[in-house]
Amino acid sequence: MNPFSSGTRLRDMIRAVRACKTAAEERAVIRKECAAIRAAISENDQDYRHRNLAKLMFIHMLGYPTHFGQMECLKLIAAAGFPEKRIGYLGLMLLLDERQEVLMLVTNSLKQDLNHSNQYIVGLALCALGNICSAEMARDLAPEVERLLQFRDPNIRKKAALCSIRIIKKVPDLAENFLNAAASLLKEKHHGVLITGVQLCTDLCRVSEEALEYFRKKCTESMVKLLKEVVNSPYMPEYDIAGIADPFLHIRLLRFLRVLGQGDADASDLMNDILAQVATKTESNKNAGNAILYECVETIMSIEDNSGLRVLAINILGRFLSNRDNNIRYVALNMLMKAITVDGQAVQRHRVTILECVKDNDASIRKRALELVYLLVNDTNVMPLVKELIEYLEVSDQDFKGELTAKICSIVEKFSPEKIWYIDQMLKVLSEAGNFVKAEVWHALIVVISNASDLHGYTVRSLYRAFQTSSEQESLVQVAVWCIGEYGEMLVNNVGMLNIEDPITVTESDAVDIIEIAIKRHSSDLTTQAMCLIALLKLSCRFPSCSQRIQEIIVQLKGSLLLELQQRSIEFSSIIEKHQNIRSTLVERMPVLDEATYSGKRAGSLPATGPTSNAASLNLPNGVAKPSAAPLIDLLDLSSDDVPAPSSSGGDFLQDLLGVDLSQAASLSGTSQAPKSGTDVLLDLLSIGSPPAQSSTSTADILSPGQDNTSVSTLQRISSPSSLSAQGSSPAQAAPMMDLLDGFSSSLPVAGNGLTYPSIVAFESNSLRINFDFSKTPGNPQATLIQAKFSNSSPNVYTDFIFQAAVPKFLQLHLDPASGNTLPASGNGSITQSLRVTNNQHGKKPLVMRIRIAYKVNGKDTLEEGQINNFPRDL
Amino acid sequence: MIKAVLVINGMGKPRLSKFYEFQEDDHAMQPPEKQQELIRSVYGVLCSRPENVSNFIQSNPLFGLDSRLVYRTFASLYFVFIFDSSENELAMLDLMQAFVETLDKCFSNVCELDLVFNFSKVHAILDEIILGGQVLETSSAEIVKAVDEISRLEKASNAMTLVPKSIATWPSR
């Protein structure tokens, strides 16, 4: 027979499909079959309708569209014979996908069949209804189903019970109609009916408060009695699974009891005894027994408090954990996770077993156990737990290491009792699985290290040792490189030895070796390379004897294809070569970062740098002209910036200069304010995201239009790198320029060496105003005394008022204490503070100052920043 | 509630797929394309499972919140139940056992081909075990009795027709 004719038997079609070697062949066969079936449908073929629908179901299972067969289902359902109806209902359940109108048409047939004299046809209809019932159908057919709950045949009763569940889920309002019938099902002896009846009652309780109250009152006792009977029932081979009588009924009953007992102390009291009996008497050597125990535990955990039972339940879970069956361990861990909120103390007792599960062969069990351990950690057990976990880290699977590492780090951070322990554990993790440690974790470690000033030496030595064995772990290398850069001299001189340490001998060149190894070994990682460069720059100052060698290493990166590295390399070697005088300032140690600020930032509660710098600056004592910490956070934040800025405390200063300079450069061509090309060079040299060093003369180039040639050439000469130091020492060279520029700038009054200067408004925001008054000490032209006066025009009082200022290197600033820290509202008073500025470049450069004002308005921190460029000339 | 029952062979071909309900807000079953996609992803997860691990898989990404998946292999077939937290995981394993035992009794030593050629009988068996996602019957003797009754009825009403219509008249192999 031609397999593609419409007369194919189902078997032949299946064979033809199975014989297909490719998906395309299969599609072709299906296409032909579908075409034939469609033709048969349009001819309204009756003889083969049954067979065609069977074929369609097979085609549907293979994943082809079969919507065109839906109406055929209805026709078959409407037919008289049992086989037709059976296939029709089966098709209805499987093929139906877009519904409402088809469902409406089928409701009538269902109604008829639910009243059919043949109970098997009634069974088919119930089954279909239970699977596809919609809300409208539920309303239409609920009376039929309700009646069938009392049908003589138990098979129909149980189907009707499950069908009712679907109905009340679709239309919860119908729940009360089913209450009495459902309650009478609970008195059944037939176990199938009982299972479904209990399930129906459970679901009734879920959808209706009223039902819950009803069953709680009427059935709690009888359900307890029923469970007792089931538990003590004699052996029933028919329902027995692995020697346990009817585990499903057990489970359904336990579940029903849970719903009844939850939130009701009286009901819970009634079931205590039987729960204890189930928990102690059930055989636990088979899956079925464990399923019952598991259900029993969940019920005990959910009903009202009975601590004795809970301990019993958690002990069952503890026993599960040492079961050989993976499934049992898996569910036990899941349940313990829930139990920990109910009775953490009881769960703690099984800590050792849970910890064993972290080492399980089964990945999903390991994962759960680890999560559970994480929840179990507290201040008292953190040390032994972490010790165990780190030991396990050494032997664990590669796939698991990432997760394990993350959890260990998080535990260590959260619960560390002391810094040295934290540092020790983190170093262990870094040496074992450094490649899995996330960037923010080791960034946090660096913050902690920098804060623990008494441990700097210890840490850098530990890192040095760890590096010897684990130089392949990238983040370990990064932390080590950072610490050696910062605390290199402590490594070499064994500074700050702790009692527990063995002394080591490290020479200066050993320390440089480490960096050199790191730079070679991790050549693919930009961050490591950049950190190494900075560490080298720092070491070149700390170890003058190695300076030459360091420069050679740095120079090697001149040819790097990565612009950042290349640029850094050129800049750093130029610093080492030519700018000895500023080098030590540039490579000062990083100032300590506020831990709370950093962790706050990590937690993501604070966006970027603005508010963070606010908090950071508040930690600085008022009136100290010390670089503020704000930009440093950015500098350290390697994740946001691939290359850390090449300086320690100098960075902030440079940042200030950068700010000064950019604005100056913009205004220079117009107003020709005093030249700052010298600092400009310095800036470019160390540029933080500004054009490469080669373009250091660009400021001058920008200026050229509109300026006459002489001035340009002068500027250019001065701004060339080599003249930087010359400029500082030879006023002769600078003098003509000043003269030149004087000609351009007429806007500001030029005061000679006279003793009076105009007051200025140094800063003005919405509500805050700062006035500066100037005076000079006769005989000391470099020094200026500034009287700052702050006033507040807003209606709110400013409290905790702090004024800070920073100046470029050629200035020295001293702030006297302010007259107060509360600024009255509406200009009703002011704070004064005096500043003394010494200008080392007096006559050549004007004063410039960055300021920051922090205060609280109604307890809310506010921060304002500004820059003062409008100082009178010649200060 | 049980959300789906799947039987997938070692090559990823579905041999039985029955979806009960997925979205509570939508009355519809999953459309066939979506069903196929789910079957494929379940198969993808299953065949990458190593041996000697638990039979449970957290299946949230595939089937939405509060769904668990239990599977077991019998010969070359994966039997998969997907259900929510109102069912006991361990009991689901037992239910699966009951299902397979019943298949074995009905087909005397069941194999994959039995399921392929008699899929409507397999559905009949499943409908006697699970109805609308709820457990209907767990005793395989009861189930076999009900299925036999259906077969008998089909045979009786088909005695006179030429086109074979009943599952009982299809040879089992």
Side-chain angles (χ1 to χ4, degrees):
Chain A
M1 185 195 278
N2 175 3
F4 300 132
S5 80
S6 67
T8 343
R9 293 188 301 161
L10 174 65
R11 290 182 61 74
D12 295 327
M13 185 196 80
I14 296 176
R15 282 212 186 94
V17 169
R18 280 173 54 77
C20 294
K21 293 205 171 51
T22 64
E25 270 179 55
E26 184 184 292
R27 276 199 297 276
V29 171
I30 299 292
R31 204 160 45 233
K32 291 220 165 133
E33 279 295 343
C34 285
I37 293 169
R38 277 171 190 270
I41 289 174
S42 60
E43 285 164 19
N44 206 5
D45 179 317
Q46 308 226 343
D47 295 340
Y48 291 99
R49 183 173 283 150
H50 168 281
R51 177 207 275 174
N52 284 341
L53 193 56
K55 281 183 188 172
L56 274 183
M57 281 187 264
F58 187 80
I59 291 170
H60 172 85
M61 185 168 68
L62 294 175
Y64 296 91
T66 51
H67 51 273
F68 54 86
Q70 286 174 3
M71 292 312 284
E72 294 297 284
C73 299
L74 297 190
K75 288 178 190 158
L76 280 171
I77 291 169
F82 180 80
E84 284 83 1
K85 277 191 189 294
R86 201 185 79 80
I87 288 292
Y89 279 122
L90 190 55
L92 187 69
M93 290 187 275
L94 289 178
L95 306 188
L96 208 66
D97 61 346
E98 78 216 57
R99 27 270 168 201
Q100 295 312 336
E101 65 277 32
V102 183
L103 282 182
M104 232 142 70
L105 292 171
V106 87
T107 309
N108 216 23
S109 304
L110 275 169
K111 193 165 200 153
Q112 276 173 9
D113 285 347
L114 288 174
N115 292 311
H116 206 278
S117 57
N118 182 340
Q119 65 165 24
Y120 292 97
I121 289 177
V122 177
L124 289 179
L126 279 174
C127 182
L129 185 61
N131 278 315
I132 60 157
C133 180
S134 67
E136 289 95 275
M137 290 168 92
R139 286 201 190 87
D140 289 346
L141 299 173
E144 267 73 23
V145 176
E146 197 191 320
R147 187 176 49 76
L148 289 171
L149 284 173
Q150 278 122 30
F151 200 79
R152 63 193 143 70
D153 188 278
N155 282 318
I156 297 300
R157 288 204 297 275
K158 66 185 186 188
K159 285 184 181 171
L162 294 189
C163 212
S164 314
I165 295 179
R166 170 101 183 186
I167 289 173
I168 56 160
K169 275 188 180 167
K170 290 289 167 201
V171 188
D173 296 348
L174 291 171
E176 59 179 316
N177 300 0
F178 287 90
L179 274 187
N180 288 321
S184 64
L185 288 180
L186 298 177
K187 301 188 182 89
E188 291 268 354
K189 291 290 170 228
H190 186 277
H191 95 120
V193 181
L194 258 184
I195 289 183
T196 54
V198 173
Q199 182 66 42
L200 172 59
C201 294
T202 314
D203 279 309
L204 277 169
C205 292
R206 289 226 175 90
V207 298
S208 146
E209 268 304 309
E210 204 181 321
L212 178 60
E213 281 309 312
Y214 175 85
F215 286 116
R216 211 175 248 163
K217 250 189 229 133
K218 298 233 161 154
C219 299
T220 310
E221 247 167 301
S222 60
M223 283 302 103
V224 169
K225 203 164 137 241
L226 182 58
L227 183 57
K228 228 172 239 161
E229 273 169 34
V230 175
V231 170
N232 299 321
S233 67
Y235 183 64
M236 285 192 297
E238 204 186 349
Y239 307 125
D240 164 90
I241 292 180
I244 307 278
D246 209 345
F248 285 93
L249 185 53
H250 270 101
I251 289 169
R252 287 286 182 250
L253 281 171
L254 285 166
R255 198 164 278 258
F256 188 33
L257 286 181
R258 179 189 320 159
V259 174
L260 295 179
Q262 218 158 15
D264 188 297
D266 294 341
S268 300
D269 266 355
L270 282 174
M271 54 190 82
N272 279 342
D273 288 347
I274 185 64
L275 291 177
Q277 196 189 341
V278 173
T280 47
K281 293 254 175 82
T282 310
E283 294 260 359
S284 64
N285 49 3
K286 290 279 166 43
N287 184 55
N290 285 326
I292 295 174
L293 284 174
Y294 176 58
E295 197 66 42
C296 186
V297 168
E298 192 164 358
T299 300
I300 292 173
M301 289 301 174
S302 308
I303 64 169
E304 289 313 294
D305 193 26
N306 180 323
S307 49
L309 270 183
R310 282 192 177 155
V311 171
L312 187 63
I314 290 174
N315 286 347
I316 291 175
L317 295 178
R319 274 210 311 280
F320 275 12
L321 286 182
S322 17
N323 196 300
R324 282 183 31 224
D325 186 343
N326 292 332
N327 296 329
I328 310 281
R329 292 201 300 276
Y330 179 95
V331 295
L333 287 169
N334 271 348
M335 188 65 84
L336 281 169
M337 209 95 86
K338 287 189 213 159
I340 205 164
T341 53
V342 178
D343 189 349
Q345 219 40 46
V347 180
Q348 287 284 359
R349 274 203 291 279
H350 299 280
R351 205 171 57 222
V352 180
T353 338
I354 296 167
L355 205 54
E356 279 308 301
C357 291
V358 176
K359 306 170 188 172
D360 205 282
N361 286 325
D362 184 339
S364 51
I365 292 181
R366 279 200 303 257
K367 193 170 165 235
R368 284 203 157 51
L370 186 61
E371 273 164 28
L372 190 54
V373 167
Y374 186 70
L375 295 175
L376 281 177
V377 177
N378 59 29
D379 294 330
T380 49
N381 61 21
V382 61
M383 291 174 78
L385 271 178
V386 168
K387 182 165 174 284
E388 282 267 350
L389 289 176
I390 290 180
E391 273 166 23
Y392 176 59
L393 184 60
E394 290 164 25
V395 291
S396 69
D397 286 358
Q398 285 298 318
D399 328 345
F400 192 49
K401 271 194 175 146
E403 229 167 303
L404 189 55
T405 310
K407 282 278 190 290
I408 296 177
C409 292
S410 156
I411 292 172
V412 169
E413 271 181 60
K414 214 158 128 195
F415 293 99
S416 91
E418 51 189 1
K419 280 191 170 163
I420 184 165
W421 185 83
Y422 172 89
I423 292 171
D424 276 344
Q425 306 311 312
M426 289 306 293
L427 293 196
K428 277 188 206 158
V429 173
L430 284 174
S431 352
E432 204 48 58
N435 291 337
F436 296 97
V437 174
K438 293 215 172 60
E440 67 259 26
V441 172
W442 65 260
H443 291 175
L445 173 63
I446 285 183
V447 174
V448 171
I449 292 174
S450 70
N451 272 284
S453 52
D454 47 334
L455 297 175
H456 286 165
Y458 170 76
T459 308
V460 70
R461 284 186 293 276
S462 304
L463 278 163
Y464 179 81
R465 286 198 197 93
F467 185 90
Q468 309 291 339
T469 54
S470 314
S471 62
E472 75 284 355
Q473 304 290 351
E474 195 148 314
S475 48
L476 175 80
V477 169
Q478 288 167 337
V479 177
V481 163
W482 191 88
C483 287
I484 291 173
E486 290 297 312
Y487 315 118
E489 74 281 7
M490 294 182 155
L491 173 63
V492 175
N493 304 326
N494 276 330
V495 176
M497 283 292 283
L498 302 184
N499 298 332
I500 49 169
E501 270 186 277
D502 299 324
I504 49 170
T505 325
V506 184
T507 65
E508 293 185 348
S509 98
D510 287 342
V512 179
D513 280 346
I514 294 273
I515 313 279
E516 194 175 5
I517 292 169
I519 217 167
K520 294 224 164 82
R521 182 137 194 184
H522 297 273
S523 53
S524 60
D525 184 73
L526 177 65
T527 311
T528 316
Q529 299 260 301
M531 290 181 79
C532 285
L533 270 181
I534 290 158
L536 284 171
L537 180 66
K538 294 201 165 190
L539 288 183
S540 76
C541 184
R542 313 240 201 287
F543 306 154
S545 64
C546 292
S547 187
Q548 187 58 35
R549 180 171 161 218
I550 286 172
Q551 200 195 353
E552 277 159 22
I553 304 173
I554 289 180
V555 163
Q556 284 168 12
L557 281 175
K558 239 179 187 163
S560 169
L561 290 176
L562 295 165
L563 182 63
E564 283 292 344
L565 293 179
Q566 190 187 44
Q567 187 180 336
R568 249 18 109 196
S569 157
I570 291 167
E571 290 163 359
F572 289 0
S573 54
S574 133
I575 291 173
I576 295 173
E577 220 172 312
K578 296 173 193 153
H579 302 292
Q580 302 287 348
N581 53 340
I582 56 164
R583 189 173 63 175
S584 60
T585 335
L586 284 176
V587 302
E588 262 173 27
R589 226 170 249 169
M590 293 286 279
V592 173
L593 236 130
D594 185 51
E595 273 175 272
T597 311
Y598 186 73
S599 50
K601 188 182 172 199
R602 273 183 76 196
S605 58
L606 299 166
T609 54
T612 314
S613 63
N614 179 7
S617 64
L618 287 177
N619 290 332
L620 292 171
N622 183 20
V624 176
K626 187 178 167 188
S628 63
L632 292 174
I633 291 167
D634 281 346
L635 295 181
L636 191 78
D637 190 352
L638 299 169
S639 59
S640 65
D641 185 356
D642 277 341
V643 175
S647 66
S648 56
S649 60
D652 178 53
F653 168 57
L654 287 170
Q655 195 84 344
D656 275 350
L657 282 178
L658 178 69
V660 169
D661 231 69
L662 287 180
S663 57
Q664 290 288 78
S667 59
L668 250 174
S669 56
T671 61
S672 289
Q673 287 208 340
K676 298 189 48 70
S677 27
T679 41
D680 198 14
V681 173
L682 182 63
L683 222 150
D684 274 344
L685 200 62
L686 302 168
S687 68
I688 301 153
S690 62
Q694 295 92 299
S695 67
S696 60
T697 53
S698 63
T699 325
D701 290 339
I702 294 168
L703 293 174
S704 48
Q707 301 248 355
D708 68 38
N709 283 336
T710 8
S711 97
V712 171
S713 64
T714 321
L715 271 167
Q716 248 166 357
R717 195 148 46 86
I718 288 166
S719 60
S720 70
S722 56
S723 67
L724 171 69
S725 49
Q727 195 201 357
S729 56
S730 63
Q733 202 178 0
M737 186 183 67
M738 288 307 293
D739 292 343
L740 263 172
L741 289 171
D742 275 348
F744 289 101
S745 64
S746 52
S747 58
L748 287 169
V750 183
N753 270 344
L755 296 172
T756 52
Y757 294 87
S759 298
I760 61 166
V761 177
F763 179 82
E764 187 158 33
S765 70
N766 291 341
S767 55
L768 183 70
R769 187 184 162 105
I770 306 175
N771 285 311
F772 278 3
D773 289 326
F774 306 94
S775 55
K776 284 261 183 205
T777 326
N780 186 358
Q782 290 192 333
T784 311
L785 186 70
I786 303 174
Q787 270 299 326
K789 188 173 151 203
F790 308 97
S791 58
N792 165 17
S793 59
S794 81
N796 302 309
V797 179
Y798 293 170
T799 54
D800 297 325
F801 188 91
I802 290 173
F803 169 76
Q804 294 170 312
V807 291
K809 203 67 188 171
F810 64 86
L811 298 175
Q812 273 143 28
L813 175 68
H814 179 83
L815 272 81
D816 289 336
S819 63
N821 66 355
T822 305
L823 194 54
S826 317
N828 293 330
S830 59
I831 297 177
T832 54
Q833 185 164 15
S834 50
L835 296 79
R836 265 172 293 157
V837 186
T838 312
N839 186 355
N840 294 331
Q841 307 254 355
H842 177 69
K844 293 192 284 288
K845 293 186 180 175
L847 294 186
V848 64
M849 194 180 281
R850 286 211 122 183
I851 58 167
R852 171 176 297 153
I853 307 103
Y855 53 87
K856 286 187 176 168
V857 190
N858 299 329
K860 207 172 126 263
D861 285 332
T862 313
L863 183 76
E864 297 199 58
E865 285 179 291
Q867 182 171 317
I868 308 173
N869 298 324
N870 57 343
F871 284 100
R873 312 288 312 265
D874 295 346
L875 277 180
Chain B
M1 175 183 182
I2 297 166
K3 297 182 173 190
V5 173
L6 304 173
V7 178
I8 308 172
N9 80 356
M11 315 288 287
K13 283 256 177 225
R15 289 311 181 204
L16 170 71
S17 68
K18 178 100 179 175
F19 287 80
Y20 294 96
E21 190 178 45
F22 279 93
Q23 299 106 330
E24 289 295 316
D25 51 338
D26 180 4
H27 300 281
M29 300 280 170
Q30 301 276 310
E33 309 80 47
K34 180 78 178 152
Q35 290 185 4
Q36 291 301 314
E37 200 184 305
L38 285 170
I39 292 171
R40 268 197 301 279
S41 33
V42 167
Y43 174 71
V45 173
L46 291 182
C47 60
S48 60
R49 292 278 288 183
E51 302 227 344
N52 297 327
V53 297
S54 72
N55 297 88
F56 305 117
I57 298 173
Q58 207 73 31
S59 53
N60 293 348
L62 293 181
F63 295 97
L65 285 176
D66 189 22
S67 63
R68 297 142 187 220
L69 185 155
V70 55
Y71 74 99
R72 194 162 238 187
T73 46
F74 293 93
S76 61
L77 295 172
Y78 292 108
F79 282 71
V80 182
F81 283 15
I82 293 135
F83 51 93
D84 67 13
S85 59
S86 67
E87 300 289 339
N88 180 313
E89 290 107 317
L90 297 173
M92 283 298 116
L93 272 176
D94 278 340
L95 187 67
M96 194 179 282
Q97 184 69 32
F99 179 39
V100 176
E101 270 174 27
T102 312
L103 285 176
D104 213 41
K105 280 182 192 158
C106 290
F107 293 107
S108 54
N109 214 351
V110 67
C111 73
E112 188 183 338
L113 277 183
D114 292 326
L115 304 189
V116 176
F117 283 105
N118 301 295
F119 68 90
S120 83
K121 183 168 183 178
V122 176
H123 273 292
I125 295 168
L126 186 62
D127 284 344
E128 290 300 321
I129 300 177
I130 300 169
L131 193 156
Q134 305 288 350
V135 178
L136 179 65
E137 181 58 73
T138 57
S139 146
S140 66
E142 287 274 320
I143 303 162
V144 171
K145 215 160 74 191
V147 174
D148 282 349
E149 201 62 33
I150 292 173
S151 304
R152 192 185 56 77
L153 266 178
E154 298 212 324
K155 214 182 269 172
S157 68
N158 280 313
M160 302 308 293
T161 44
L162 290 170
V163 179
K165 287 179 181 171
S166 80
I167 52 174
T169 51
W170 301 331
S172 60
R173 201 68 46 106

